[in-house]
């Protein structure tokens, strides 16, 4: 860009002298011509040194064409400075050929070697993101002439990638299976953070960006969030609580996230294609987290059917004390793994290696609370059925095989007829 300003004129000027034939001497006048530096900077990647970018000293010739006759085959110190455009401020220095340059005029001198076409190469590096302007200025004064060159260009610096991570304790699940330690209950909040990150090495993807440095000036709205199930592989993904976020400051956005299911998951950030007006800058790019988990149930819902259970009569419409009897319908006890959402729902992935409740006998007790006669047995046990594909729910038959009986009283002290009132108690373990 050739530009002119009151502070740094981008015009070269010199004395043009003419000797008139037959005249008494030489007539001199001041001549002005537009001149300056031409250079264009393509979109850059944060923290990554650019390839060679050509800066050329040119002079505007008749008809609007440019010609190169300035600072040929010589080494000159050119002043560079960078200015913030979007956002309007920052703290990370901009580098030209490895030298950190000032953020305002008169800039910082950088020695450049110009060739026969008044061209020199520069390499740029910026450890942040945003829209910047790079300014170049050179001034040279002589006995009969002076040369002033100026130029500037604006360009975008984008993050190398995004890091999606959680700072909540025990979030890492490297193995991606049911052997990982417990993280949080499904449906309950955990921290999720998305950050713009610097370049560190070519070929990085997803969570590999997460040990790079943050780009504090990166801002971008409407970053979509989605999640993917890692394990159990035959399970369901459930629902993600927060589906988008905005990075509005410090290159970082954090939300209170939830995943409704048990298991191990990844969360993926999908930025909009456009960044600072460049419409395809993030086109097709997504950034997934490392494995997050193991999500566990929040609690168990226990139900009994039929409710209340009913004993069958062993002799017509009654049962004698001491006579064995059974259930009219064997009661079924169902345990369902639930998430911790406000409106809790069942977690279908609590099965197989993710079922952590010990598969041992479920112990329970019976206690007659009214009758003078004791009920036997007073306790029972049942084994869980297979939990390999149970969808987070198991059902046990509380079947004592017809072994119930009330203790027969002494015949000399009969008891009045009664209806059983039995309490069934299960240990929480």
């Amino acid at each position: 860009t050739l530009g002119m300003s009151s502070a740094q004129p981008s015009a070269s000027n010199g004395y043009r002298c003419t000797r008139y034939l037959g005249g008494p001497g030489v007539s001199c006048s001041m001549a002005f011509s537009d001149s300056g530096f031409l250079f264009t900077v393509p979109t850059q990647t944060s923290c990554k040194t650019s390839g060679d970018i050509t800066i050329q000293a040119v002079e505007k010739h008749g008809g609007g064409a440019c010609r190169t006759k300035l600072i040929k085959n010589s080494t000159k110190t050119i002043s560079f400075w960078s200015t913030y455009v979007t956002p309007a401020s920052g703290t990370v220095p901009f580098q030209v050929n490895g030298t950190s340059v000032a953020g305002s005029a008169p800039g910082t001198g950088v020695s450049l070697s110009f060739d026969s076409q008044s061209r020199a190469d520069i390499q740029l590096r910026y450890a942040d993101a945003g829209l910047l302007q790079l300014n170049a200025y050179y001034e040279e004064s002589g006995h009969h002439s002076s040369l002033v060159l100026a130029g500037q260009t604006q360009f975008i610096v984008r993050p190398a990638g995004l890091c999606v991570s959680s700072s909540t304790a025990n979030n890492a699940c490297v193995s991606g299976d049911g052997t990982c330690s417990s993280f949080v209950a499904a449906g309950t909040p955990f921290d999720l953070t998305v950050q713009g990150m610097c370049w560190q090495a070519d070929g990085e993807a997803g969570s590999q960006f997460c040990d790079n440095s943050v780009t504090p000036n990166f801002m971008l709205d409407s970053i979509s969030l989605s999640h993917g199930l890692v394990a159990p592989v035959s399970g369901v993904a459930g629902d993600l609580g927060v589906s988008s976020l905005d990075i509005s400051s410090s290159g970082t956005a954090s939300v209170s996230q939830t995943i409704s299911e048990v298991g191990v998951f990844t969360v993926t950030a999908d930025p909009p294609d456009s960044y600072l007006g460049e419409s395809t800058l993030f086109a097709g790019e997504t950034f997934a987290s490392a494995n997050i988990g193991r999500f566990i149930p929040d609690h168990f819902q226990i139900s009994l059917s039929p409710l209340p259970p009913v004993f069958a009569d062993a002799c017509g419409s009654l049962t004698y004390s001491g006579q064995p009897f059974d259930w009219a319908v064997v009661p079924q006890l169902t345990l369902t793994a639930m998430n911790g959402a406000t409106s809790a729902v069942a977690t279908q992935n609590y099965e197989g290696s993710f079922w952590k409740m010990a598969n041992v006998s479920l112990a329970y007790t019976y206690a007659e609370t009214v009758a003078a006669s004791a009920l036997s047995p007073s306790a029972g046990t049942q084994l869980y059925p297979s939990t390999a594909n149970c969808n987070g729910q198991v059902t046990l038959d509380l079947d004592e095989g017809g072994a119930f009986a009330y203790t027969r009283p002494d015949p000399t002290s009969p008891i009045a007829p009664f209806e059983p009132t039995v309490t069934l108690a299960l240990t929480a373990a």
Side-chain angles (χ1 to χ4, degrees):
T1 301
L2 298 178
M4 181 176 290
S5 68
S6 58
Q8 286 82 33
S10 58
S12 65
N13 60 77
Y15 288 101
R16 177 173 297 165
C17 299
T18 304
R19 180 181 294 278
Y20 292 97
L21 295 177
V26 178
S27 173
C28 294
S29 62
M30 184 70 75
F32 291 89
S33 62
D34 289 339
S35 60
F37 291 114
L38 285 178
F39 58 108
T40 300
V41 179
T43 296
Q44 298 293 297
T45 299
S46 178
C47 291
K48 187 174 184 179
T49 301
S50 72
D52 288 340
I53 295 170
T54 298
I55 180 170
Q56 188 174 32
V58 298
E59 180 184 44
K60 188 176 181 181
H61 190 42
C66 288
R67 64 184 182 185
T68 59
K69 65 174 186 178
L70 309 171
I71 54 176
K72 293 182 179 180
N73 299 317
S74 59
T75 299
K76 303 293 184 181
T77 298
I78 311 300
S79 293
F80 289 95
W81 67 96
S82 62
T83 49
Y84 296 99
V85 181
T86 305
S89 62
T91 59
V92 179
F94 190 89
Q95 292 184 352
V96 178
N97 288 359
T99 298
S100 295
V101 300
S104 60
T108 302
V110 178
S111 179
L112 301 182
S113 296
F114 290 84
D115 63 13
S116 61
Q117 298 298 311
S118 299
R119 296 175 303 196
D121 289 333
I122 56 175
Q123 292 184 330
L124 310 178
R125 184 180 185 274
Y126 181 54
D128 206 338
L131 179 62
L132 299 178
Q133 178 169 301
L134 181 62
N135 308 273
Y137 182 76
Y138 176 74
E139 182 175 354
E140 184 178 284
S141 298
H143 182 63
H144 293 295
S145 67
S146 64
L147 178 65
V148 176
L149 301 172
Q152 63 275 331
T153 186
Q154 292 187 1
F155 55 96
I156 295 170
V157 184
R158 57 156 285 177
L162 304 182
C163 167
V164 182
S165 62
S166 176
S167 62
T168 303
N170 295 328
N171 67 82
C173 182
V174 176
S175 62
D177 56 30
T179 65
C180 292
S181 59
S182 62
F183 176 42
V184 298
T188 63
F190 65 96
D191 169 80
L192 186 78
T193 299
V194 178
Q195 299 172 295
M197 309 302 286
C198 264
W199 175 89
Q200 184 168 270
D202 288 339
E204 289 187 314
S207 61
Q208 292 174 325
F209 289 110
C210 290
D211 60 357
N212 301 4
S213 57
V214 178
T215 53
N217 267 12
F218 178 62
M219 295 186 294
L220 187 62
D221 291 343
S222 302
I223 300 174
S224 297
L225 299 176
S226 60
H227 71 303
L229 177 66
V230 177
V233 294
S234 60
V236 297
D239 298 319
L240 189 70
V242 179
S243 60
S244 69
L245 51 72
D246 302 334
I247 297 180
S248 56
S249 65
S250 304
T252 300
S254 293
V255 295
S256 181
Q257 187 62 275
T258 59
I259 292 178
S260 66
E261 262 295 343
V262 163
V264 182
F265 298 85
T266 58
V267 179
T268 297
D270 183 1
D273 294 347
S274 178
Y275 174 56
L276 296 176
E278 188 167 332
S279 61
T280 60
L281 196 60
F282 285 110
E285 293 188 68
T286 59
F287 305 92
S289 70
N291 295 339
I292 299 176
R294 172 181 49 97
F295 291 84
I296 64 174
D298 178 74
H299 63 279
F300 289 88
Q301 184 181 82
I302 301 175
S303 61
L304 192 64
S305 177
L307 188 64
V310 177
F311 292 130
D313 293 322
C315 185
S317 60
L318 57 82
T319 299
Y320 288 100
S321 293
Q323 184 179 18
F325 61 92
D326 203 349
W327 298 107
V329 175
V330 175
Q332 292 185 319
L333 182 72
T334 300
L335 287 82
T336 304
M338 306 294 290
N339 71 14
T342 302
S343 299
V345 297
T347 58
Q348 299 180 54
N349 293 348
Y350 192 66
E351 62 181 18
S353 64
F354 288 87
W355 182 284
K356 299 298 181 181
M357 186 183 292
N359 195 14
V360 296
S361 296
L362 178 68
Y364 47 95
T365 58
Y366 299 104
E368 172 59 66
T369 59
V370 174
S373 182
L375 176 67
S376 64
S378 61
T381 60
Q382 296 289 340
L383 288 173
Y384 292 118
S386 172
T387 59
N389 297 290
C390 68
N391 293 325
Q393 186 177 85
V394 294
T395 298
L396 301 89
D397 290 336
L398 304 187
D399 187 5
E400 299 303 326
F404 288 109
Y406 281 95
T407 302
R408 183 178 182 180
D410 186 332
T412 62
S413 302
I415 59 174
F418 65 91
E419 291 196 13
T421 304
V422 177
T423 297
L424 170 65
L426 296 94
T427 58

